[in-house]
Amino acid sequence: MSTSHPHPQPSTTTAANNVNANDLFSTVDMGTNSFKLLIVRADKSTSRFLPIDRHKEPVLLGLDATSTAAAVISPSSIDRATAALAKFQEILHFHRIPISQSRFVATSAVREASNQAAFLSKLHQHLDLHVDVLSGHDEARLIYLGILQFLPVIDDTVLAVDIGGGSTEIIVGKNGKILHAISLKLGHVTLTQQFVEIAKMRDHIRNVIQISGLVNKVKEYKIHRVIGSSGTIKAIEKAIYEGYVKKNVRVIKENDKRDWRFNKEELMELVESLGGKGRKRKEAFFKKRSEFILAGTVLLEEIFEGIGIEEMEVSEYALSEGVIAEMLGNVNERPHGVIVDVRWGSVVRLAMRLNSKKRMKTAAMCAGIAKEIFDGIRKWNEDDNQLVDGLEDKDLEYLEAACLLHNVGLCAGKKGYHKQSYRIVINSNHLQGYNEEEVKLIGLLVKHHRKKIPRFDNTSLEGLEEVKHKFQMLCAILRLSVAVLQFHSVDIPTFEFSHSHEGFRLVIGEERCQSLLPYTLRPLAGDVNEELDKEVENFRMVFEKKLSLMVPCST
């Protein structure tokens, strides 16, 4: 067994020396409907980040408000908020995310609350928590910044719409700058609470839009693309795509050919369908959002009608990702955080569109462990000058892209999914900014992340002769990363790759274990499955150096 080696001397390394916690950033969005925690793994040198974990608590800050005290956060709402934030703090503490790399932001419910100061004081008193209450303009700016991290629209004049529980942000932006932004006091939660009759709701929405002067202001710009964000708009797109309007009919095309957009006619049909009967069907499809989805769709329909929108694209990123981008921008002395990487963005987009949240988390963790191994190999090469073909930054980009996309084929089923993933990747419509050879390289890495180890007498590898050794190295790293995660599955793993005269060592652990001090390392051996053992041996053959897999354990 290649991983079975004598126990090393007890390690004196402390948890603070582990390299991974410093790569984690987080933000908490305290919205009117729910509080959302986002944790990402980031590369500070490039400002690229990958969401690796999300948590959501349905706090409903305005749930107990009355029509005469709509801007008051009730004691019961404060208790729910405190409990949710305490839970989030436990998660952040568990993963040892530095305070400087975490930010709590509040939007309209707190912004408009007459007892805002008392609410924030209680959070500080009980949780020692600092919360940034965003102005409407700041919220709009961060939403736009988040969208720019997901869609290649920085050169376009964009009209962005983000529907929240208590307000709706509408932004006109171009080249990373806000041309116009307005926060309308219209949200799917507050509208649901204020109106039972849809006709009266519509009159109110139209009145607010008219008073705001939004329509005339938007007409001043030549809008190239209209983009929607937020959970409500994503739920609308999903309902339209999956044929919710057509009763008992599930009309689903191939996922990788999905448009991720909808038009005015489709939206109108959905509003009509939601306004009819079928409460159980609505609850089954929209789940916790079912209570507010009708108000959200009516609100969006009136925005379409008022501004003259015919079609809307959907962004997976919004406020939370904008906050992360701004934090990373500050680290790199780019205070506005406008970093556009068309190539990387297209990879992330494809992965997020086709992967479930669970699969996306796995893919992101795979990219994290692969990067740690890649960087360790590069350091070994710099120290000992062992590799004829040195690994470059672009090789890391190919490797991370393959990690993110290796499991997208699961959207069509488990059987032979690696081949389906390959088919999706080599479709040149998906990966933007890559040339044909680069797309083929990424696609072949994806195809060969499992099953038989590729050999260069295989005709599918034709055209890669010049980068044969690099392909073998990247493929060995990818296969090992996938196998390790499948065998040693933890919530958010930590990993550390190092080298010595004895060979390579990969330490895989989790925060819970490494917080127990002191601790030692033991080989991951004995019950290691045949698949992982095969990848360890393949890694040894490619790099001609022994690899030990280790796990930390408390002494």
Side-chain angles (χ1 to χ4, degrees):
M1 171 67 207
S2 56
T3 56
S4 182
H5 304 292
H7 285 243
Q9 294 297 315
S11 172
T12 57
T13 304
T14 65
N17 288 330
N18 190 282
V19 296
N20 300 120
N22 199 42
D23 296 334
L24 300 181
F25 284 72
S26 70
T27 183
V28 173
D29 170 11
M30 299 165 54
T32 302
N33 186 31
S34 59
F35 286 10
K36 290 169 282 190
L37 166 63
L38 169 65
I39 299 175
V40 307
R41 177 166 279 122
D43 184 339
K44 294 179 182 178
S45 63
T46 63
S47 293
R48 297 193 321 206
F49 64 88
L50 281 174
I52 59 173
D53 209 10
R54 296 178 187 270
H55 297 269
K56 184 176 180 179
E57 292 291 323
V59 175
L60 286 170
L61 279 182
L63 181 64
D64 307 303
T66 65
S67 59
T68 57
V72 175
I73 301 174
S74 70
S76 57
S77 293
I78 293 176
D79 289 342
R80 290 193 301 274
T82 304
L85 293 173
K87 186 180 295 186
F88 288 167
Q89 280 188 319
E90 288 180 8
I91 295 171
L92 298 178
H93 179 72
F94 178 77
H95 296 302
R96 296 178 297 126
I97 300 177
I99 295 176
S100 61
Q101 293 175 192
S102 185
R103 187 181 179 194
F104 290 69
V105 299
T107 54
S108 63
V110 179
R111 183 166 65 232
E112 304 295 334
S114 59
N115 59 337
Q116 176 191 126
F119 173 64
L120 297 178
S121 177
K122 184 165 184 178
L123 294 183
H124 182 74
Q125 177 185 350
H126 288 269
L127 304 175
D128 192 23
L129 185 64
H130 173 73
V131 176
D132 292 327
V133 181
L134 301 177
S135 67
H137 185 274
D138 277 341
E139 184 177 354
R141 177 180 60 82
L142 290 168
I143 290 168
Y144 175 53
L145 181 56
I147 290 171
L148 291 180
Q149 309 307 305
F150 193 79
L151 293 171
V153 294
I154 192 165
D155 295 327
D156 297 316
T157 302
V158 168
L159 173 65
V161 180
D162 186 283
I163 295 178
S167 67
T168 293
E169 271 53 54
I170 298 181
I171 310 113
V172 179
K174 185 177 183 180
N175 295 325
K177 297 180 180 179
I178 298 291
L179 303 179
H180 179 71
I182 188 169
S183 181
L184 302 176
K185 294 182 181 180
L186 297 169
H188 57 78
V189 173
T190 52
L191 287 172
T192 300
Q193 293 172 331
Q194 292 172 12
F195 299 97
V196 176
E197 297 180 27
I198 299 302
K200 291 183 178 180
M201 182 189 295
R202 288 187 184 279
D203 289 340
H204 175 71
I205 294 169
R206 291 168 186 169
N207 186 51
V208 171
I209 291 175
Q210 182 180 3
I211 293 174
S212 71
L214 171 67
V215 176
N216 290 333
K217 193 65 183 178
V218 170
K219 287 180 180 178
E220 296 178 11
Y221 305 97
K222 184 178 179 180
I223 304 298
H224 298 132
R225 298 170 76 170
V226 180
I227 298 170
S229 59
S230 77
T232 293
I233 291 179
K234 286 190 285 187
I236 289 171
E237 188 278 333
K238 180 183 177 183
I240 290 171
Y241 172 73
E242 296 194 3
Y244 182 89
V245 174
K246 300 176 176 62
K247 296 180 180 179
N248 301 318
V249 176
R250 192 174 175 83
V251 182
I252 300 187
K253 317 164 199 172
E254 291 181 74
N255 267 312
D256 62 305
K257 296 181 180 178
R258 184 169 172 180
D259 289 333
W260 302 97
R261 66 182 71 218
F262 54 90
N263 59 40
K264 182 178 178 181
E265 182 181 351
E266 291 169 329
L267 177 61
M268 292 173 63
E269 289 176 352
L270 179 62
V271 172
E272 183 179 355
S273 178
L274 291 173
K277 297 180 180 180
R279 179 177 176 179
K280 288 184 178 180
R281 180 167 177 257
K282 182 165 64 176
E283 289 177 349
F285 187 92
F286 294 99
K287 298 180 173 58
K288 293 180 180 179
R289 194 176 296 277
S290 62
E291 183 180 356
F292 310 110
I293 191 64
L294 177 58
T297 53
V298 169
L299 171 56
L300 187 60
E301 184 184 25
E302 290 299 330
I303 292 172
F304 265 57
E305 186 66 36
I307 299 178
I309 299 172
E310 293 297 326
E311 185 178 73
M312 173 174 280
E313 297 177 66
V314 179
S315 170
E316 294 282 345
Y317 284 3
L319 176 63
S320 294
E321 291 78 11
V323 174
I324 295 290
E326 184 171 68
M327 284 196 288
L328 288 170
N330 290 332
V331 168
N332 287 306
E333 298 182 349
R334 297 188 189 95
H336 298 295
V338 181
I339 302 166
V340 177
D341 187 334
V342 173
R343 289 157 60 102
W344 180 248
S346 68
V347 171
V348 173
R349 248 187 338 272
L350 181 58
M352 292 194 70
R353 297 300 203 192
L354 301 187
N355 277 326
S356 64
K357 290 181 180 179
K358 183 177 180 179
R359 293 201 303 268
M360 189 65 207
K361 181 177 178 179
T362 299
M365 289 192 296
C366 180
I369 192 170
K371 182 180 185 300
E372 177 67 15
I373 297 171
F374 182 96
D375 289 342
I377 295 292
R378 278 223 289 196
K379 188 175 188 309
W380 165 63
N381 187 45
E382 291 168 1
D383 292 346
D384 300 339
N385 195 27
Q386 296 288 332
L387 299 177
V388 176
D389 299 318
L391 294 171
E392 305 172 64
D393 289 345
K394 64 179 181 180
D395 299 317
L396 175 59
E397 182 182 356
Y398 304 147
L399 176 62
E400 290 185 302
C403 288
L404 288 188
L405 299 173
H406 79 274
N407 54 0
V408 293
L410 285 167
C411 67
K414 190 171 182 180
K415 185 177 181 180
Y417 76 86
H418 58 299
K419 296 178 182 179
Q420 175 71 356
S421 297
Y422 169 75
R423 185 191 69 77
I424 292 171
V425 169
I426 62 171
N427 182 340
S428 60
N429 293 328
H430 294 307
L431 300 190
Q432 300 173 11
Y434 293 92
N435 61 39
E436 186 176 343
E437 290 75 18
E438 290 174 317
V439 171
K440 183 175 183 179
L441 176 61
I442 294 170
L444 288 172
L445 285 171
V446 165
K447 182 178 181 180
H448 294 291
H449 82 270
R450 66 193 288 258
K451 298 293 185 180
K452 292 182 179 179
I453 295 172
R455 304 300 177 194
F456 269 81
D457 55 0
N458 188 325
T459 56
S460 69
L461 299 179
E462 288 181 0
L464 295 180
E465 287 79 6
E466 293 184 5
V467 291
K468 172 183 176 180
H469 192 209
K470 282 191 177 183
F471 179 85
Q472 288 177 317
M473 290 190 290
L474 296 178
C475 194
I477 296 172
L478 172 60
R479 291 176 69 98
L480 178 65
S481 302
V482 172
V484 165
L485 283 176
Q486 288 177 341
F487 176 79
H488 193 72
S489 179
V490 296
D491 183 25
I492 300 181
T494 61
F495 22 78
E496 186 172 3
F497 187 85
S498 59
H499 69 275
S500 68
H501 66 278
E502 294 180 353
F504 295 124
R505 185 173 75 176
L506 176 62
V507 180
I508 313 116
E510 58 181 314
E511 311 292 354
R512 187 188 308 279
C513 180
Q514 296 189 29
S515 65
L516 300 173
L517 299 177
Y519 67 85
T520 187
L521 297 175
R522 66 170 177 83
L524 181 63
D527 57 349
V528 174
N529 64 19
E530 183 179 347
E531 192 67 29
L532 181 54
D533 195 21
K534 180 182 73 173
E535 299 308 333
V536 170
E537 177 60 20
N538 178 56
F539 192 91
R540 183 197 65 77
M541 291 180 64
V542 171
F543 293 100
E544 300 180 353
K545 202 171 178 71
K546 183 173 64 178
L547 170 66
S548 301
L549 301 184
M550 317 293 291
V551 292
C553 58
S554 63
T555 59

